[in-house]
Amino acid sequence: MTAEIITIGDEILIGQIIDSNSAWMAQQLNFIGIKVKQITSVSDSETHIIEALNAAIQRADIILMTGGLGPTNDDLTKPTLCKYFNTGLRFDETAYRDIEALFKQRGREVTPLNRMQAEVPENCKTIYNKNGTAPGMWFEEKGKIFISLPGVPFEMKSMMTESVLPWLAGKFNLPPVIHRTILTQGIGESILADKIKEWENALPADLRLAYLPSVGMVRLRLSAVGEKKKTSAEINSQIEKVLPLIDKYVFGFDDDTLQSRVGVELKKRNATLVATESCTGGYVAHLITSVPGSSAYFKGGIVSYSNEMKVDVLHVSADTLKKHGAVSEETVMEMAENAKRIFKTDYAVATSGIAGPDGGTQEKPVGTVWIAVATPDKIINRKLQLGNKRLHIIEVASQSVLHLLLKDLV
Amino acid sequence: MTAEIITIGDEILIGQIIDSNSAWMAQQLNFIGIKVKQITSVSDSETHIIEALNAAIQRADIILMTGGLGPTNDDLTKPTLCKYFNTGLRFDETAYRDIEALFKQRGREVTPLNRMQAEVPENCKTIYNKNGTAPGMWFEEKGKIFISLPGVPFEMKSMMTESVLPWLAGKFNLPPVIHRTILTQGIGESILADKIKEWENALPADLRLAYLPSVGMVRLRLSAVGEKKKTSAEINSQIEKVLPLIDKYVFGFDDDTLQSRVGVELKKRNATLVATESCTGGYVAHLITSVPGSSAYFKGGIVSYSNEMKVDVLHVSADTLKKHGAVSEETVMEMAENAKRIFKTDYAVATSGIAGPDGGTQEKPVGTVWIAVATPDKIINRKLQLGNKRLHIIEVASQSVLHLLLKDLV
């Protein structure tokens, strides 16, 4: 069973909005075993919409559209669908009551323009919209299913969840698609590929492997179609085989993040953490505190961007700073060790480096970063060399110190 | 002149990543006078890529592809283009030197897989990539222009800016499109539109206005096509008219950011800053330190995520915390005032709030945030109510406190 998503709206084609609807829809369709063949964004133009529909029915069984259902003249999806299916409009009383209720809630009268939104093509099943004025439409025509939904994300999402997805799952008895993603940090795509080459070449034909790189990370996704229990078992047995080859780099699975994994492990131990940062400038603390509930283990952070603050708050010795410099093994070790002691935590992380573009020297070029982790019984550290892009250095150094901490925790 | 964007990658079709590249590309193409007709996302499949190319050349003069250029087996764009243009590969020495340089910077040897990335189709002009291992490709075939770029956003963006956009503008002698963008913070799109309605309706027909909302901000972009000097003057005279209507919300123009503007103003005064954060968890410090050269004015930050740290480091009185709570006008004022005194800076910013999802009460629901700014001679503060999405609260609270500081500085 395959689908195509067509997003309708000039605002997408001039880059005014990023289309996040189709990624969400694709994910949801995948979960119930429907494969998305193509995502197409077209303009608010009758010709273009019809051209896209004609192309989509060559490729897919289900065509989902979003957008173009507003009350104004530039919203063309409904009249275009009437033309495409050669049908007229009917007035949907229930849809109208939804619109009335919404206006009442806002203390307003329904305008004639909004009243017209309760009109739907005669040949469609209405998909009711509790959160907005545009009802959705479900058509079974030309041996295909056509679904039209509003483009407002929260309206579309609730209509998908409450109507479209259950209707689709009920109509077709679908084999699910199973995905499992391994998350790695600190290794490039090509070196990773090299390490698992033999395993990859020996994968059974029904399993697909994808490399998904992003800043500082590579995700490895294994996918297969089939009965859930059997397919999951097959994927899991392959994961067990590959993990020992790359365990130094693996930090989690699926929706995990470094910061969420660190949180889980600290909570297990009832342990606390403090972050001291120089070159990462607060980004480590930001990652940690982006996790809901992080106040349970995160006591706080010191962004010691000046030497003064390193000495006054973190008690790094002026002698160390003078002898070895702020970006040095010695300084970062003192930052971690002292922070753990001063703030009475179980763990501390520390970063110090040169994020550039200025401040590099021959001996310590831009991108040189020292990271350290103080644990209840030791301090560990690493030196990194992270290229010369400021934000890239900040992000990768932050990930690296969280990963170094996580490796000690698991 | 029209273009079609084709994004290649299974990860888009299963919804694992949101395609933000094509919105950015569409915007840039628009700037130089090229209209995007369609955006199409296809799978890593030879048949599907070729099908999309054949459809695109029916609609557009320029076909831009992103993705599928990695070194691994699932990256099919390059072999597919060779097949489509019926050509072989040549080894590009310059591309190889880029790859070598990148590996050298990271202290690594080039792997055979990465060496192969320097191979490009014989009929293409290479688009060099200073930030990654995959070169891009420019083809002039079948009376059209085909451009293939990597999917990694920062690699793609710099190749667009440095090569593709100037090449396209040069080739087609496109009339320049002049843009000027006004940046606002702290006002919603519809209220803003209401405030400038009369000005907007009186705009000359050759000027186009776009509202570009993002988290906490709305950018207003004025564009016109035509001779640079005259068009710029016309745009600037309109900007002078609109500014007085919205000056409370305007923080800069074009590529400015709140943090870059704050930096410029602090440097002018030779003044220093410290940031103390509770609910924003390091994000304010991160924004400030994302600006190159920020160490000239930013002494550092305290992420006082626990009451203990507020008392021990920032000397907030235990009495204040007990009587008014951590999220209160009194606490945030003490945070700012004490930080300025303790760290001997000219300015201090402070945030304290409930980022959720837990911790809200009837009286102080999730999204309640207090912000404060200590200046050389006073303290100012604001209470914000920012909804219930954790990351949204963190981002908007951080922007708001920087904006409050900036308004005092200018």
Side-chain angles (χ1 to χ4, degrees):
Chain A
M1 201 55 49
T2 58
E4 176 153 342
I5 299 171
I6 301 176
T7 60
I8 300 165
D10 291 349
E11 66 278 20
I12 300 170
L13 296 177
I14 64 165
Q16 192 150 27
I17 65 160
I18 290 172
D19 165 32
S20 60
N21 279 348
S22 51
W24 185 87
M25 292 170 87
Q27 241 179 22
Q28 302 303 311
L29 291 166
N30 244 272
F31 285 158
I32 64 164
I34 295 171
K35 194 179 154 141
V36 175
K37 285 283 284 183
Q38 181 166 316
I39 300 168
T40 308
S41 300
V42 300
S43 56
D44 290 305
S45 133
E46 185 186 284
T47 336
H48 200 173
I49 296 171
I50 289 180
E51 190 188 304
L53 288 170
N54 282 331
I57 57 176
Q58 306 302 317
R59 279 182 292 259
D61 309 302
I62 303 158
I63 293 95
L64 291 111
M65 292 157 265
T66 62
L69 295 182
T72 52
N73 287 334
D74 56 341
D75 292 299
L76 294 175
T77 304
K78 205 156 61 180
T80 302
L81 288 172
C82 282
K83 188 166 180 186
Y84 187 63
F85 296 125
N86 194 21
T87 184
L89 291 166
R90 64 179 169 85
F91 188 78
D92 188 308
E93 282 293 344
T94 313
Y96 184 66
R97 279 197 297 273
D98 282 350
I99 297 172
E100 260 191 336
L102 213 76
F103 272 75
K104 207 173 162 186
Q105 216 179 58
R106 298 176 190 164
R108 291 191 195 157
E109 292 288 312
V110 180
T111 66
L113 267 182
N114 288 112
R115 189 176 194 280
M116 276 168 62
Q117 290 196 284
E119 292 176 356
V120 295
E122 279 162 9
N123 63 334
C124 85
K125 179 164 139 187
T126 308
I127 306 168
Y128 295 108
N129 181 355
K130 296 285 170 206
N131 304 300
T133 53
M137 299 161 256
W138 169 289
F139 305 88
E140 303 192 14
E141 295 276 355
K142 305 174 196 253
K144 309 278 175 181
I145 291 178
F146 297 82
I147 296 154
S148 165
L149 297 170
V152 181
F154 82 100
E155 297 179 24
M156 177 279 288
K157 285 181 187 175
S158 100
M159 291 159 89
M160 280 288 283
T161 311
E162 280 158 37
S163 305
V164 176
L165 293 167
W167 294 358
L168 286 172
K171 188 160 178 77
F172 310 102
N173 202 359
L174 300 165
V177 185
I178 313 293
H179 299 282
R180 194 96 207 272
T181 307
I182 303 173
L183 311 171
T184 74
Q185 196 275 329
I187 182 170
E189 186 180 3
S190 53
I191 301 171
L192 186 65
D194 209 52
K195 280 193 192 293
I196 63 174
K197 198 166 47 190
E198 284 175 34
W199 170 83
E200 181 176 355
N201 291 335
L203 277 176
D206 58 333
L207 286 193
R208 266 191 81 177
L209 178 71
Y211 292 82
L212 308 170
S214 59
V215 176
M217 300 194 175
V218 180
R219 289 173 296 162
L220 284 174
R221 191 190 63 223
L222 271 172
S223 318
V225 179
E227 191 274 318
K228 194 167 174 179
K229 218 165 160 181
K230 188 174 154 283
T231 311
S232 298
E234 200 183 345
I235 289 180
N236 286 337
S237 96
Q238 288 300 333
I239 287 181
E240 267 171 48
K241 278 189 204 159
V242 77
L243 280 184
L245 306 174
I246 51 174
D247 57 350
K248 254 173 75 180
Y249 309 101
V250 174
F251 68 85
F253 297 91
D254 303 319
D255 296 327
D256 287 341
T257 59
L258 281 163
Q259 52 272 25
S260 73
R261 290 284 300 116
V262 161
V264 166
E265 295 299 331
L266 288 172
K267 270 194 201 162
K268 263 193 209 164
R269 280 166 186 68
N270 215 0
T272 54
L273 174 66
V274 63
T276 60
E277 309 179 55
S278 188
C279 67
T280 52
Y283 197 66
V284 174
H286 169 60
L287 289 179
I288 295 168
T289 58
S290 68
V291 179
S294 45
S295 57
Y297 48 84
F298 187 57
K299 278 213 179 171
I302 306 293
V303 183
S304 53
Y305 225 57
S306 54
N307 276 348
E308 218 175 311
M309 201 128 150
K310 288 188 187 74
V311 174
D312 292 349
V313 184
L314 297 175
H315 306 175
V316 174
S317 90
D319 195 47
T320 303
L321 286 170
K322 202 175 161 194
K323 217 152 99 192
H324 305 282
V327 179
S328 66
E329 184 172 7
E330 290 76 7
T331 298
V332 86
M333 299 272 277
E334 282 191 35
M335 284 169 68
E337 187 171 21
N338 297 0
K340 193 187 88 165
R341 192 186 61 243
I342 297 169
F343 300 106
K344 301 182 191 71
T345 58
D346 304 296
Y347 293 86
V349 291
T351 66
S352 188
I354 302 151
D358 303 322
T361 63
Q362 186 99 35
E363 200 198 341
K364 294 177 188 173
V366 168
T368 308
V369 179
W370 279 96
I371 58 174
V373 174
T375 77
D377 51 16
K378 62 184 177 302
I379 311 182
I380 39 186
N381 68 54
R382 295 277 182 285
K383 186 187 184 183
L384 312 169
Q385 210 67 54
L386 300 174
N388 59 9
K389 294 263 174 293
R390 186 173 179 88
L391 284 176
H392 181 87
I393 295 167
I394 292 173
E395 279 182 54
V396 180
S398 300
Q399 292 168 4
S400 302
V401 79
L402 288 177
H403 198 180
L404 191 62
L405 167 61
L406 183 62
K407 279 192 273 195
D408 187 79
L409 286 167
V410 291
Chain B
M1 203 54 49
T2 58
E4 175 152 343
I5 299 172
I6 301 176
T7 60
I8 300 166
D10 292 350
E11 65 277 19
I12 299 169
L13 297 178
I14 66 162
Q16 192 149 26
I17 63 161
I18 291 172
D19 164 34
S20 59
N21 280 349
S22 51
W24 185 87
M25 292 170 87
Q27 243 181 21
Q28 301 303 311
L29 290 166
N30 246 273
F31 285 163
I32 63 165
I34 295 170
K35 194 181 154 132
V36 175
K37 286 282 284 184
Q38 180 165 319
I39 299 169
T40 308
S41 301
V42 302
S43 57
D44 289 304
S45 134
E46 185 187 286
T47 336
H48 200 175
I49 296 171
I50 289 180
E51 191 188 304
L53 288 171
N54 281 331
I57 57 176
Q58 305 303 318
R59 278 183 292 259
D61 308 302
I62 302 158
I63 293 96
L64 291 111
M65 293 157 263
T66 61
L69 294 182
T72 52
N73 286 333
D74 57 336
D75 293 299
L76 294 176
T77 304
K78 205 157 61 180
T80 301
L81 288 172
C82 282
K83 187 163 178 189
Y84 187 63
F85 296 124
N86 194 21
T87 185
L89 291 166
R90 64 180 170 86
F91 188 77
D92 188 308
E93 283 293 344
T94 314
Y96 184 65
R97 279 196 297 274
D98 282 349
I99 298 173
E100 260 190 336
L102 213 75
F103 272 73
K104 205 174 163 186
Q105 215 180 60
R106 297 177 189 164
R108 292 190 191 160
E109 291 288 313
V110 180
T111 66
L113 267 183
N114 287 111
R115 190 174 195 281
M116 277 168 59
Q117 291 196 284
E119 292 176 355
V120 297
E122 279 162 8
N123 63 334
C124 85
K125 178 164 141 188
T126 308
I127 305 168
Y128 296 107
N129 181 355
K130 296 284 171 208
N131 304 300
T133 53
M137 300 162 255
W138 169 290
F139 304 87
E140 303 192 13
E141 295 275 356
K142 305 174 196 252
K144 309 279 175 179
I145 291 178
F146 297 82
I147 296 153
S148 165
L149 297 170
V152 181
F154 83 99
E155 297 180 23
M156 178 278 290
K157 285 181 187 174
S158 100
M159 291 159 89
M160 281 287 284
T161 311
E162 280 158 37
S163 306
V164 175
L165 294 168
W167 294 356
L168 286 172
K171 187 159 178 80
F172 298 108
N173 201 8
L174 299 167
V177 185
I178 312 293
H179 299 282
R180 193 95 206 273
T181 307
I182 304 172
L183 310 172
T184 75
Q185 197 274 331
I187 182 170
E189 185 181 4
S190 53
I191 302 171
L192 186 64
D194 208 52
K195 279 193 192 293
I196 63 175
K197 199 166 47 191
E198 282 174 35
W199 169 83
E200 182 176 353
N201 291 336
L203 278 175
D206 58 334
L207 286 194
R208 263 182 66 188
L209 178 70
Y211 290 83
L212 308 169
S214 60
V215 176
M217 299 192 176
V218 180
R219 288 173 298 159
L220 282 175
R221 192 185 65 219
L222 270 173
S223 319
V225 179
E227 193 274 318
K228 197 168 174 178
K229 216 164 161 182
K230 185 175 156 284
T231 312
S232 299
E234 198 182 348
I235 289 180
N236 286 337
S237 95
Q238 288 301 332
I239 287 182
E240 267 171 50
K241 280 188 204 160
V242 77
L243 281 184
L245 306 175
I246 51 174
D247 57 350
K248 255 176 74 180
Y249 309 101
V250 173
F251 68 85
F253 296 91
D254 303 321
D255 295 328
D256 287 341
T257 59
L258 281 162
Q259 54 271 23
S260 74
R261 290 285 299 115
V262 162
V264 166
E265 296 299 331
L266 287 172
K267 270 194 203 164
K268 263 193 210 163
R269 280 166 187 68
N270 216 0
T272 54
L273 174 66
V274 62
T276 60
E277 309 179 55
S278 188
C279 67
T280 52
Y283 197 68
V284 174
H286 168 61
L287 290 178
I288 295 168
T289 58
S290 67
V291 179
S294 45
S295 57
Y297 48 84
F298 187 57
K299 277 213 178 171
I302 306 294
V303 182
S304 54
Y305 225 57
S306 54
N307 276 348
E308 218 175 312
M309 201 127 151
K310 288 188 185 75
V311 174
D312 292 349
V313 184
L314 297 175
H315 306 174
V316 174
S317 91
D319 195 48
T320 302
L321 286 170
K322 202 175 160 193
K323 217 151 100 190
H324 305 284
V327 179
S328 65
E329 183 172 8
E330 290 78 6
T331 298
V332 86
M333 299 272 277
E334 282 191 34
M335 285 168 69
E337 187 170 21
N338 296 0
K340 194 188 88 167
R341 192 187 61 241
I342 297 168
F343 301 106
K344 300 181 193 71
T345 58
D346 304 296
Y347 293 85
V349 292
T351 65
S352 188
I354 302 151
D358 303 322
T361 63
Q362 188 99 37
E363 201 198 341
K364 294 176 187 173
V366 168
T368 307
V369 180
W370 279 97
I371 59 175
V373 173
T375 77
D377 52 16
K378 64 184 174 301
I379 312 181
I380 39 186
N381 68 55
R382 293 280 182 283
K383 186 185 181 183
L384 313 168
Q385 212 66 54
L386 300 174
N388 59 9
K389 297 258 175 296
R390 187 174 178 89
L391 285 177
H392 181 89
I393 295 166
I394 292 172
E395 280 183 53
V396 180
S398 301
Q399 293 169 4
S400 303
V401 79
L402 289 177
H403 198 179
L404 192 60
L405 167 61
L406 182 62
K407 278 191 275 194
D408 187 79
L409 287 166
V410 291

